[in-house]
Amino acid sequence: MKSPTLNALTFDVEDFFHVHGFADVISRSQWDDFPRRVADSTRLILRRLSQFDVRATFFVLGWVADREPDLIREIADNGHELACHGYWHRAVFDQTPDEFMDDVEQSLAAIRKAVPGSVVLGYRAPTFSIVARSLWALDILEKLGLRYDSSIFPCRGHDRYGVPDGCRTAHRVREHLWEIPLSTYRLFRVNLPVAGGGYFRLYPSFLTRLAIRRLNASGIPAVVYLHPWEFDVDQPVVTQAGRQSRFRHYVNIGKTERRFCRLLRDFHFAPICDVFASELALIDNERNRSLRFEQLHRGRVSIRTDVATAKVDREYL
């Protein structure tokens, strides 16, 4: 029996050679030398989602959008939400604020070029790299008009990401920006990462499903994340990468698709914009109220000015 809770299903649309764990052996200047596999693996995901009549959020890397615009249009045409994953897959904490803004803007432009008129509400940092020392990025996301971020992992123990004392549920982080954190399960005062990526492949499948059910029983929607390359069993092996990076990338890749289909059978899923629609609507309502107030204020100023002008005219006459 499916849990009645609606959970958020998300994908970070990037290729196998984009991952941060390979960055020390594959430079950005080499990306175009590799065969692109992201389109085929993403289309496999789209077929499975169509089979189970599920919609999801796709955080698109701008580099991919520029080179695979047909794929991005196909994602949108199938009713899925498009969101931003940056352009160059650089960790936020390795960028200056100006570099970060340029990277996000470049990615947004690539997505909107691929799908004219698309509305992009959300952002996810590569490697969940909005951490304590890069929280300034939230101000920039708000400035760019985005309504939610889904980059913060409220956990400890990872060498690249984690905000151990971060809030585990959706919450407002700026006046016009919500944070949709990655799912964790609280056990013995420790937040354990669940429901995505390497954890999805490493943990036994029943533990992942148990964690999601317990989150749902507490009224918390799970935020599940996966990557197209995790469905690509025939991808090249980057032998130059370190042992830890290779383990994280390749462990149980052959089980991803089967486990994913089981998840779709057992739980209800939707895009972030649907699961957290009420939270995001608060921003729109507040903006509309603010706009109406400004318009009313300008109208009152205009009326007062017109009255004053008329009075002067009468006195002059």
Side-chain angles (χ1 to χ4, degrees):
M1 181 177 176
K2 280 191 176 184
S3 166
T5 303
L6 194 60
N7 300 287
L9 181 60
T10 70
F11 299 91
D12 297 350
V13 183
E14 61 194 51
D15 221 317
F16 74 95
F17 49 83
H18 292 137
V19 302
H20 193 276
F22 296 159
D24 56 343
V25 295
I26 300 176
S27 67
R28 293 199 302 273
S29 63
Q30 295 175 289
W31 286 359
D32 279 314
D33 297 334
F34 285 88
R36 294 197 298 272
R37 304 179 64 86
V38 66
D40 288 344
S41 49
T42 302
R43 289 187 171 109
L44 169 60
I45 293 169
L46 292 175
R47 289 195 297 272
R48 294 292 171 260
L49 293 176
S50 178
Q51 177 185 342
F52 289 91
D53 194 24
V54 171
R55 302 293 175 267
T57 297
F58 286 75
F59 291 93
V60 177
L61 198 68
W63 189 93
V64 173
D66 269 341
R67 288 158 179 78
E68 300 283 355
D70 290 344
L71 173 66
I72 311 309
R73 284 191 289 273
E74 189 173 337
I75 293 170
D77 288 345
N78 277 272
H80 303 290
E81 178 189 12
L82 296 177
C84 176
H85 195 39
Y87 194 91
W88 288 108
H89 209 265
R90 290 183 63 194
V92 175
F93 48 68
D94 287 337
Q95 303 178 65
T96 67
D98 286 343
E99 288 172 336
F100 175 71
M101 178 176 279
D102 289 345
D103 184 79
V104 175
E105 287 184 318
Q106 190 176 1
S107 179
L108 291 171
I111 295 169
R112 290 164 179 160
K113 180 180 178 182
V115 185
S118 58
V119 177
V120 179
L121 303 178
Y123 171 82
R124 175 172 290 159
T127 320
F128 313 118
S129 52
I130 295 184
V131 296
R133 59 191 168 115
S134 53
L135 290 175
W136 48 261
L138 299 174
D139 297 315
I140 294 174
L141 296 177
E142 181 185 39
K143 183 177 181 180
L144 291 174
L146 295 169
R147 298 181 194 173
Y148 71 84
D149 172 66
S150 184
S151 305
I152 293 180
F153 226 139
C155 64
R156 70 172 71 248
H158 199 278
D159 55 343
R160 290 196 296 268
Y161 59 72
V163 179
D165 57 350
C167 180
R168 296 176 54 238
T169 58
H171 58 286
R172 188 176 295 209
V173 284
R174 295 294 184 270
E175 183 180 2
H176 298 128
L177 187 74
W178 281 77
E179 178 63 36
I180 312 297
L182 284 305
S183 289
T184 57
Y185 181 71
R186 186 79 170 167
L187 184 65
F188 303 124
R189 298 184 180 180
V190 176
N191 295 339
L192 300 178
V194 294
Y199 308 106
F200 180 78
R201 291 179 281 115
L202 180 61
Y203 296 164
S205 180
F206 80 90
L207 283 182
T208 298
R209 300 196 310 276
L210 177 63
I212 295 176
R213 289 192 187 282
R214 291 193 172 178
L215 287 172
N216 290 174
S218 301
I220 301 173
V223 179
V224 175
Y225 71 94
L226 290 163
H227 307 81
W229 52 261
E230 292 181 280
F231 292 76
D232 185 2
V233 295
D234 296 321
Q235 65 184 280
V237 176
V238 182
T239 56
Q240 313 95 304
R243 181 178 300 176
Q244 184 183 62
S245 294
R246 293 199 310 274
F247 176 79
R248 286 174 173 173
H249 189 89
Y250 298 111
V251 64
N252 289 336
I253 268 187
K255 298 180 179 181
T256 302
E257 185 179 355
R258 175 171 50 82
R259 290 182 175 185
F260 176 62
C261 290
R262 176 70 184 272
L263 214 61
L264 296 181
R265 283 193 295 268
D266 288 355
F267 299 94
H268 292 288
F269 289 103
I272 284 179
C273 63
D274 289 348
V275 176
F276 299 96
S278 58
E279 288 85 351
L280 301 179
L282 288 174
I283 295 176
D284 289 334
N285 293 338
E286 290 166 1
R287 282 177 171 169
N288 290 337
R289 284 198 298 269
S290 177
L291 179 61
R292 287 196 297 270
F293 176 80
E294 290 176 5
Q295 291 171 339
L296 180 61
H297 179 70
R298 286 197 298 269
R300 286 174 176 170
V301 170
S302 176
I303 290 170
R304 287 197 296 270
T305 302
D306 291 343
V307 169
T309 302
K311 182 178 179 181
V312 170
D313 288 345
R314 285 196 302 270
E315 290 176 352
Y316 179 78
L317 292 172

